Amino acid sequence: MHLVATPIGAARDVTLRALDILAGADILAAEDTRRARKLLDIHGVRRDARTILPYHDHNGAAMRPRLLAALAEGKSVALVSDAGTPLVADPGWRLARAAIDAGLPVTAAPGASALLAALSVAGLPTDRFLFAGFPPPRASARARALAELGAVPATLVFYESPRRLAASLAAMADALGPDRPAAVCRELTKRFEETRRDSLGALAAAYAAAPEPKGEIVVVVGPPPADAGVGEDAIDAALAEALAAGSVKDAAATVAARLGLPRREVYARALALAAARAR
């Protein structure tokens, strides 16, 4: 089975190897068969009598046995997602896992990736990064998820939909700190490609005041600042403010993320402060 990366915008970003695989595979499986056909037509890849099978989150359980059976018979299967690299925030990992568990060969034909393109143009550290996928759509779940990421000593990368971008940026500014450097990358490799670089707070304010953007969006957030020896007074002051608005657990998560400190240590301090207040 070949996991084939396809362009995220510019059609010419497809690799020669990808075209060879798509031309020679016995079976093509695609998240969106219409987009797959369009890509083949653009590059003159003949489909002949081959069927392009749909493979996505909704039919994966039903399609996997069919594709695995074909692989077991010695046929080659090329899997493509809508755009970019399959399995990266796209359907396919269960299929790949099932093929691996069955002892069937799985190979990658790497190429375009919105994740890597955004890291390249964001202007933020790339020596260590964490891909966090799409933030949860609900505000409470999103806040919890971001609080857990706040102290991660790495650049963070998120995918987001245009309609949720402003709310997500505001939540990131609140949970990760408004001064964290960030970049919003939109429509990468396409005609109206745009990258805006600023602090999280400034970006959140800008997108809150602007019309809803269009296109595919990647948000890149720089790592937290190195611990500059945050004093106990500063920690206690931040915890006192957070405890007035929420539980010990939530307060510790918020302050740890904001100050870039180990969550366990801040939680222990929050417990001590809460106990002292109760006496």
Side-chain angles (χ1 to χ4, degrees):
M1 183 171 68
H2 304 281
L3 307 175
V4 183
T6 56
I8 60 175
R12 291 176 65 85
D13 283 346
V14 71
T15 68
L16 295 176
R17 180 169 173 240
L19 292 177
D20 287 342
I21 291 171
L22 294 175
D26 297 307
I27 297 173
L28 303 180
E31 183 179 5
D32 186 328
T33 57
R34 292 170 299 179
R35 295 186 68 163
R37 289 190 187 96
K38 182 177 179 180
L39 178 67
L40 297 181
D41 290 342
I42 288 173
H43 293 287
V45 177
R46 295 178 58 183
R47 298 197 300 272
D48 297 322
R50 293 180 301 166
T51 300
I52 303 179
L53 300 176
Y55 184 88
H56 45 72
D57 287 334
H58 302 295
N59 75 344
M63 289 298 299
R64 279 193 290 277
R66 181 174 177 179
L67 295 173
L68 291 171
L71 289 167
E73 293 171 3
K75 294 180 180 179
S76 59
V77 175
L79 175 71
V80 299
S81 58
D82 273 358
T85 301
L87 281 66
V88 180
D90 276 319
W93 78 266
R94 287 186 175 87
L95 176 60
R97 182 70 258 176
I100 292 168
D101 289 343
L104 299 168
V106 177
T107 64
S113 167
L115 162 65
L116 297 179
L119 279 168
S120 298
V121 302
L124 295 168
T126 57
D127 56 327
R128 179 185 294 182
F129 65 88
L130 185 149
F131 176 56
F134 285 88
R138 298 187 63 176
S140 58
R142 182 169 55 217
R144 288 194 297 270
L146 291 172
E148 293 175 357
L149 296 172
V152 173
T155 292
L156 305 176
V157 186
F158 303 88
Y159 288 170
E160 189 52 285
S161 73
R163 64 185 180 86
R164 290 199 298 263
L165 178 60
S168 279
L169 287 172
M172 290 176 191
D174 183 58
L176 307 178
D179 296 328
R180 287 271 285 266
V184 175
C185 307
R186 187 177 65 85
E187 293 289 84
L188 290 166
T189 79
K190 300 175 185 173
R191 180 181 179 186
F192 298 106
E193 176 174 340
E194 175 188 57
T195 299
R196 299 181 66 172
R197 306 170 184 88
D198 211 321
S199 66
L200 270 177
L203 289 170
Y207 280 98
E212 184 178 291
K214 297 180 180 180
E216 305 293 329
I217 292 170
V218 185
V219 179
V220 186
V221 182
D227 185 1
V230 180
E232 287 191 1
D233 290 344
I235 298 172
D236 288 352
L239 281 172
E241 180 182 352
L243 286 168
S247 67
V248 169
K249 182 179 179 180
D250 289 342
T254 299
V255 172
R258 184 184 305 167
L259 300 181
L261 298 173
R263 188 172 177 178
R264 182 178 296 180
E265 295 178 14
V266 178
Y267 181 70
R269 186 60 186 167
L271 284 174
L273 287 177
R277 287 185 173 189
R279 288 199 294 268

